[in-house]
Amino acid sequence: MAISILPTISLADSELEITYILASGPGGQNVNKVATAAQLRFDAARSTSLPERVRTRLLELAGSRATREGVIVITARRFRTQQRNREDAVERLAALIREAAHRPAFRVATRPSRAARQRRLQGKAHRARIKQGRSVRLDD
């Protein structure tokens, strides 16, 4: 079964490797006996599902969650059950891929016009006069 991320991007279940490990946190005595935390591993560097642009941006955004080999490791331990932690890990990976697929807006650097700079300085001078008028004057 494929995991749909965007209309153009979906991941096959075979690309995700999920293992379960012991987790800290809620669960009482059960936490020492049952491996409920889900650790998801996704080989982004060798994934055929991702376009090259998305793959490089994904590895940048992953930061410390990505290994040198290009494998993204996400550990989910917020919930008490394996199933909920698995869903959480998959959703966090999907959100990361969605963010990587989003093209940042191209920003053209601009400078304020001379009139805009003049208006700004006039506004500052006006404020200074107002505040100066509030001060207490001591007449001798």
Side-chain angles (χ1 to χ4, degrees):
M1 186 175 144
I3 299 162
S4 180
I5 294 169
L6 289 172
T8 57
I9 299 174
S10 62
L11 297 177
D13 274 344
S14 60
E15 290 191 84
L16 304 179
E17 180 186 327
I18 298 177
T19 55
Y20 297 99
I21 56 176
L22 290 176
S24 59
Q29 293 178 357
N30 202 40
V31 81
N32 299 321
K33 297 184 286 185
V34 182
T36 55
Q39 190 173 56
L40 180 142
R41 298 176 78 79
F42 173 64
D43 194 350
R46 292 172 193 79
S47 175
T48 57
S49 304
L50 300 176
E52 187 61 35
R53 178 186 64 80
V54 175
R55 183 179 302 123
T56 55
R57 187 152 154 73
L58 176 63
L59 289 171
E60 282 177 22
L61 288 174
S64 63
R65 291 174 287 194
T67 64
R68 285 194 184 119
E69 294 80 34
V71 177
I72 295 175
V73 180
I74 295 175
T75 304
R77 58 171 58 113
R78 284 196 300 196
F79 301 103
R80 289 179 62 155
T81 62
Q82 283 184 349
Q83 184 61 32
R84 295 270 308 271
N85 282 327
R86 181 189 199 292
E87 291 167 2
D88 183 40
V90 170
E91 183 51 43
R92 283 166 47 192
L93 176 66
L96 192 64
I97 294 173
R98 275 189 219 104
E99 188 179 347
H102 177 72
R103 289 182 188 260
F106 181 71
R107 185 187 178 281
V108 178
T110 59
R111 292 174 55 189
S113 65
R114 185 185 302 178
R117 283 195 302 264
Q118 198 170 7
R119 282 193 303 272
R120 182 179 139 267
L121 292 175
Q122 285 173 349
K124 285 169 68 87
H126 178 67
R127 270 265 148 244
R129 284 193 300 275
I130 289 173
K131 290 184 175 191
Q132 200 171 25
R134 291 182 189 151
S135 65
V136 179
R137 294 197 182 104
L138 297 173
D139 292 333
D140 288 328

